[in-house]
Amino acid sequence: MRRELGAALQPGPEAAQRFLEDVRAAVTEGPRPRQVLLTLLADYWLSPDAQAPSGALVELLADFDIPASGARTLLGRLCRDERIQLTKIGRRTFYSLSPWLRQRLVFRLETMNQFGRADVPFAGQWTCVAFSVPEENRGDRHKLRAGLAWLGFAPLYDGFWITPRPMVEEARKLLAKLGVLAATVFQGSLTGEGRDYGEPTDAWNLEQMAGLYRNFLNETEPLASAPSLGSVSPVEALIFRTELINVWRAFPNVDPDLPLDLLPPDWPRTRAREVFQLLYGGLAQPALARVKTVVAAHAPEYVDQVQYHLTGDPAGPVPKIAAGV
């Protein structure tokens, strides 16, 4: 039986561990421990020269019920995958994001910072990719579909993918990288002519999408009340904030910021963005305090490298980075 989400979200260790678990399962990819580790590095050690002490990462992952043995195995696996880098300083070990992954995460953060803004008008131009990949090259076809989905495209038809974002150059680079032999990329207006299917938004399941936003709000709005935020401990704040960003950063995987004027009235994304920003900012200081406390116990001279992000910075699309106090 489905639990009562709003009633369950009173601050506390058990509630923190369950926070947004249903929505996370629907919108994110990959195992939770990997998501948590990469999010911690992206949230607090995104600067190019920032290094996280190994012992601090293991201790922080324990806050998420990830045992030390699993944390060390995960760190080793991500190093072998070249997602993170290992540095030895004396007898101590430090980890940092690899340059390519940092660049990719910054792109996602820029996307997240703009995602859901009601004041961004739709120019009426869809980016479209039409392609044909032979059956014998189905591995490349899978890579192409995955790459297009990551860029915010969805299939209106099997070999015809669209997005409301201006992504012509990104699509061309992906096609060139994969060596696709038959493809066309263009921008233009689209009009549905079929009686039951063919509108551009038919490429997405709007009912399912709205349900995910409402589930997100069911869990986050109770926590966003002032009394709830005031009673969250630093450990709980870190868990809540990490799970929050894991889920919100993944929403563009299911919703490429579809134009509001093409969506049903009272679309819940705008309210979801407001609550996300409130919580992400409101939990920043206690979460930062937890990370700094742990780092200080392992490598106090590295505490100043710990930073956090704030979204919605009016000065530009890249999230603001602050050292905190």
Side-chain angles (χ1 to χ4, degrees), residues 106-148:
V106 167
F107 172 82
R108 289 297 259 181
L109 287 168
E110 292 174 345
T111 300
M112 181 191 72
N113 200 36
Q114 298 296 315
F115 181 72
R117 287 181 55 186
D119 61 338
V120 179
F122 178 52
Q125 298 290 298
W126 296 83
T127 304
C128 307
V129 178
F131 61 89
S132 177
V133 179
E135 176 62 24
E136 58 266 27
N137 296 336
R138 55 182 172 271
D140 289 339
R141 185 168 57 197
H142 174 75
K143 292 179 182 177
L144 175 58
R145 289 171 173 169
L148 288 172

Coordinates of all heavy atoms in Angstrom, one line a residue, residues 106-148:
V106 N 28.5 20.6 -14.8 CA 28.2 22.0 -15.0 C 27.2 22.3 -16.0 O 26.3 23.1 -15.8 CB 29.5 22.8 -15.3 CG1 29.2 24.2 -15.7 CG2 30.5 22.8 -14.1
F107 N 27.2 21.5 -17.1 CA 26.1 21.7 -18.1 C 24.8 21.3 -17.5 O 23.8 22.0 -17.7 CB 26.4 20.7 -19.3 CG 25.3 20.6 -20.3 CD1 25.2 21.6 -21.3 CD2 24.4 19.6 -20.3 CE1 24.1 21.5 -22.2 CE2 23.4 19.5 -21.2 CZ 23.3 20.5 -22.2
R108 N 24.7 20.2 -16.7 CA 23.5 19.9 -16.1 C 23.0 20.9 -15.1 O 21.8 21.1 -14.9 CB 23.6 18.5 -15.4 CG 23.7 17.3 -16.4 CD 22.5 17.2 -17.2 NE 21.6 16.1 -16.8 CZ 20.5 15.8 -17.3 NH1 20.1 16.4 -18.4 NH2 19.8 14.8 -16.9
L109 N 24.0 21.5 -14.4 CA 23.6 22.5 -13.4 C 23.1 23.8 -14.1 O 22.1 24.4 -13.6 CB 24.8 22.9 -12.5 CG 25.2 21.8 -11.5 CD1 26.6 22.2 -10.9 CD2 24.2 21.7 -10.4
E110 N 23.6 24.1 -15.2 CA 23.1 25.2 -16.0 C 21.7 24.9 -16.5 O 20.8 25.8 -16.4 CB 24.0 25.5 -17.2 CG 25.4 26.0 -16.9 CD 26.3 26.1 -18.1 OE1 26.0 25.5 -19.1 OE2 27.4 26.8 -17.9
T111 N 21.5 23.7 -17.0 CA 20.1 23.3 -17.4 C 19.2 23.4 -16.2 O 18.1 23.9 -16.3 CB 20.2 21.9 -17.9 OG1 21.1 21.8 -19.1 CG2 18.8 21.4 -18.4
M112 N 19.6 22.9 -15.0 CA 18.8 22.8 -13.9 C 18.4 24.3 -13.4 O 17.3 24.5 -13.0 CB 19.5 22.1 -12.7 CG 18.7 22.0 -11.4 SD 19.7 21.4 -10.1 CE 20.8 22.8 -9.8
N113 N 19.4 25.2 -13.5 CA 19.2 26.5 -13.1 C 18.1 27.3 -13.9 O 17.4 28.1 -13.4 CB 20.5 27.3 -13.1 CG 20.4 28.5 -12.2 OD1 19.8 28.5 -11.2 ND2 21.1 29.6 -12.7
Q114 N 18.0 26.9 -15.2 CA 17.0 27.5 -16.1 C 15.7 26.7 -16.1 O 14.6 27.2 -16.5 CB 17.5 27.6 -17.5 CG 18.8 28.4 -17.6 CD 18.5 29.9 -17.3 OE1 17.5 30.4 -17.7 NE2 19.4 30.5 -16.5
F115 N 15.7 25.5 -15.6 CA 14.6 24.5 -15.8 C 13.4 25.0 -15.0 O 13.5 25.4 -13.8 CB 15.0 23.2 -15.3 CG 13.9 22.1 -15.4 CD1 13.6 21.6 -16.6 CD2 13.3 21.6 -14.3 CE1 12.6 20.7 -16.8 CE2 12.3 20.7 -14.4 CZ 11.9 20.2 -15.7
G116 N 12.2 25.1 -15.7 CA 11.0 25.4 -15.0 C 10.7 26.9 -14.8 O 9.7 27.3 -14.2
R117 N 11.5 27.8 -15.4 CA 11.3 29.2 -15.3 C 10.1 29.6 -16.2 O 10.1 29.4 -17.4 CB 12.5 30.0 -15.8 CG 13.7 29.9 -14.8 CD 14.9 30.7 -15.3 NE 14.5 32.1 -15.7 CZ 15.3 33.0 -16.2 NH1 16.5 32.7 -16.6 NH2 14.8 34.2 -16.5
A118 N 9.1 30.1 -15.5 CA 7.9 30.5 -16.2 C 8.0 31.7 -17.1 O 7.2 31.9 -18.0 CB 6.8 30.8 -15.2
D119 N 9.1 32.4 -17.0 CA 9.3 33.7 -17.8 C 10.1 33.4 -19.0 O 10.4 34.4 -19.7 CB 10.0 34.7 -16.9 CG 11.4 34.3 -16.4 OD1 11.6 33.1 -16.4 OD2 12.2 35.2 -16.1
V120 N 10.4 32.2 -19.4 CA 11.1 31.9 -20.6 C 10.1 31.6 -21.7 O 9.4 30.5 -21.7 CB 12.0 30.7 -20.4 CG1 12.8 30.4 -21.7 CG2 13.0 31.0 -19.3
P121 N 9.9 32.4 -22.7 CA 8.9 32.2 -23.7 C 9.3 31.1 -24.7 O 10.5 30.9 -24.9 CB 8.7 33.6 -24.4 CG 10.1 34.2 -24.2 CD 10.6 33.7 -22.9
F122 N 8.4 30.5 -25.4 CA 8.7 29.5 -26.4 C 8.7 30.2 -27.7 O 7.7 30.9 -28.1 CB 7.7 28.4 -26.3 CG 7.9 27.3 -27.4 CD1 9.1 26.7 -27.6 CD2 6.8 27.0 -28.2 CE1 9.3 25.8 -28.5 CE2 7.0 26.0 -29.2 CZ 8.3 25.4 -29.4
A123 N 9.7 30.0 -28.5 CA 9.9 30.7 -29.8 C 9.1 30.0 -30.9 O 9.0 30.5 -32.0 CB 11.3 30.8 -30.2
G124 N 8.5 28.9 -30.6 CA 7.7 28.2 -31.6 C 8.5 27.3 -32.5 O 8.0 26.7 -33.5
Q125 N 9.8 27.2 -32.2 CA 10.7 26.4 -33.1 C 11.2 25.1 -32.3 O 11.8 25.2 -31.2 CB 11.9 27.2 -33.5 CG 11.6 28.4 -34.3 CD 11.1 28.0 -35.7 OE1 11.8 27.4 -36.5 NE2 9.9 28.4 -36.0
W126 N 10.9 24.0 -32.9 CA 11.3 22.7 -32.3 C 12.6 22.2 -33.0 O 12.8 22.4 -34.2 CB 10.2 21.6 -32.5 CG 9.0 21.9 -31.8 CD1 8.0 22.7 -32.2 CD2 8.6 21.4 -30.5 NE1 6.9 22.7 -31.3 CE2 7.3 21.9 -30.2 CE3 9.2 20.5 -29.6 CZ2 6.6 21.6 -29.1 CZ3 8.5 20.2 -28.4 CH2 7.2 20.8 -28.2
T127 N 13.5 21.7 -32.2 CA 14.7 21.1 -32.8 C 14.3 19.6 -33.1 O 13.9 18.9 -32.2 CB 15.9 21.1 -31.9 OG1 16.2 22.5 -31.5 CG2 17.1 20.5 -32.6
C128 N 14.6 19.2 -34.4 CA 14.1 17.9 -34.8 C 15.3 17.1 -35.4 O 16.2 17.6 -36.0 CB 13.1 18.0 -35.9 SG 11.7 19.1 -35.5
V129 N 15.3 15.8 -35.1 CA 16.3 14.9 -35.6 C 15.6 13.7 -36.2 O 14.9 13.0 -35.5 CB 17.3 14.4 -34.5 CG1 18.3 13.4 -35.0 CG2 18.0 15.6 -33.8
A130 N 15.8 13.5 -37.5 CA 15.3 12.3 -38.2 C 16.5 11.5 -38.5 O 17.5 11.9 -39.0 CB 14.5 12.8 -39.4
F131 N 16.4 10.2 -38.3 CA 17.5 9.3 -38.5 C 17.0 7.9 -38.9 O 15.9 7.5 -38.6 CB 18.4 9.2 -37.3 CG 17.8 8.7 -36.1 CD1 17.8 7.3 -35.8 CD2 17.2 9.5 -35.2 CE1 17.2 6.8 -34.6 CE2 16.6 9.1 -34.0 CZ 16.6 7.7 -33.7
S132 N 17.9 7.1 -39.5 CA 17.7 5.7 -39.8 C 19.0 5.0 -39.5 O 20.1 5.3 -40.1 CB 17.3 5.6 -41.3 OG 17.1 4.2 -41.6
V133 N 19.0 4.0 -38.6 CA 20.1 3.2 -38.3 C 19.8 1.8 -38.5 O 18.8 1.3 -38.0 CB 20.5 3.4 -36.8 CG1 21.7 2.5 -36.5 CG2 20.8 4.9 -36.5
P134 N 20.6 1.1 -39.4 CA 20.2 -0.3 -39.7 C 20.2 -1.2 -38.5 O 20.8 -1.0 -37.5 CB 21.4 -0.8 -40.6 CG 22.0 0.5 -41.1 CD 21.8 1.5 -40.0
E135 N 19.4 -2.3 -38.6 CA 19.2 -3.2 -37.5 C 20.5 -3.8 -37.0 O 20.7 -4.1 -35.9 CB 18.2 -4.3 -37.9 CG 18.0 -5.4 -36.9 CD 17.4 -4.9 -35.6 OE1 16.7 -3.8 -35.6 OE2 17.6 -5.5 -34.5
E136 N 21.4 -4.1 -38.0 CA 22.7 -4.7 -37.6 C 23.6 -3.7 -36.8 O 24.5 -4.2 -36.1 CB 23.5 -5.1 -38.8 CG 23.8 -4.0 -39.9 CD 22.7 -4.0 -41.0 OE1 21.6 -4.4 -40.7 OE2 23.0 -3.5 -42.1
N137 N 23.2 -2.4 -36.7 CA 23.9 -1.5 -35.9 C 23.1 -1.0 -34.7 O 23.1 0.1 -34.3 CB 24.3 -0.2 -36.8 CG 25.3 -0.6 -37.9 OD1 26.0 -1.6 -37.8 ND2 25.3 0.2 -38.9
R138 N 22.3 -2.0 -34.2 CA 21.4 -1.6 -33.1 C 22.1 -1.1 -31.9 O 21.5 -0.3 -31.1 CB 20.4 -2.7 -32.8 CG 21.1 -4.0 -32.4 CD 20.0 -5.1 -32.1 NE 20.6 -6.4 -32.0 CZ 20.8 -7.3 -32.9 NH1 20.5 -6.9 -34.2 NH2 21.3 -8.5 -32.7
G139 N 23.3 -1.5 -31.7 CA 24.1 -0.9 -30.5 C 24.3 0.6 -30.7 O 24.1 1.3 -29.7
D140 N 24.6 1.0 -31.9 CA 24.8 2.4 -32.2 C 23.4 3.1 -32.1 O 23.4 4.3 -31.6 CB 25.4 2.6 -33.6 CG 26.8 2.2 -33.6 OD1 27.5 2.2 -32.6 OD2 27.3 2.0 -34.7
R141 N 22.4 2.5 -32.5 CA 21.1 3.1 -32.4 C 20.7 3.3 -30.9 O 20.1 4.3 -30.6 CB 20.0 2.2 -33.1 CG 18.6 2.7 -33.1 CD 17.7 2.0 -34.1 NE 17.7 0.5 -33.7 CZ 17.2 -0.4 -34.5 NH1 16.9 -0.2 -35.7 NH2 17.2 -1.7 -34.0
H142 N 21.0 2.3 -30.1 CA 20.7 2.5 -28.6 C 21.5 3.7 -28.1 O 21.0 4.5 -27.3 CB 21.1 1.2 -27.9 CG 21.0 1.3 -26.4 ND1 19.8 1.4 -25.7 CD2 21.9 1.5 -25.4 CE1 20.0 1.5 -24.4 NE2 21.3 1.6 -24.2
K143 N 22.8 3.8 -28.5 CA 23.6 4.9 -28.0 C 23.0 6.2 -28.5 O 23.0 7.2 -27.8 CB 25.0 4.8 -28.5 CG 25.8 3.6 -27.8 CD 27.2 3.5 -28.4 CE 27.9 2.3 -27.8 NZ 29.3 2.1 -28.4
L144 N 22.6 6.3 -29.7 CA 22.0 7.5 -30.3 C 20.7 7.9 -29.5 O 20.6 9.1 -29.1 CB 21.7 7.3 -31.8 CG 21.0 8.5 -32.4 CD1 21.8 9.8 -32.3 CD2 20.7 8.2 -33.9
R145 N 19.9 6.9 -29.3 CA 18.6 7.2 -28.5 C 19.0 7.7 -27.1 O 18.3 8.7 -26.6 CB 17.7 6.0 -28.5 CG 17.1 5.6 -29.8 CD 16.4 4.3 -29.8 NE 15.7 4.0 -31.0 CZ 15.1 2.8 -31.3 NH1 15.3 1.8 -30.4 NH2 14.5 2.7 -32.4
A146 N 19.9 7.1 -26.5 CA 20.3 7.5 -25.1 C 20.9 8.9 -25.1 O 20.6 9.7 -24.2 CB 21.3 6.5 -24.5
G147 N 21.7 9.2 -26.1 CA 22.3 10.5 -26.2 C 21.3 11.6 -26.5 O 21.3 12.7 -25.9
L148 N 20.3 11.3 -27.4 CA 19.3 12.2 -27.6 C 18.4 12.5 -26.4 O 18.0 13.6 -26.1 CB 18.4 11.7 -28.8 CG 19.1 11.8 -30.2 CD1 18.2 11.1 -31.2 CD2 19.3 13.2 -30.6

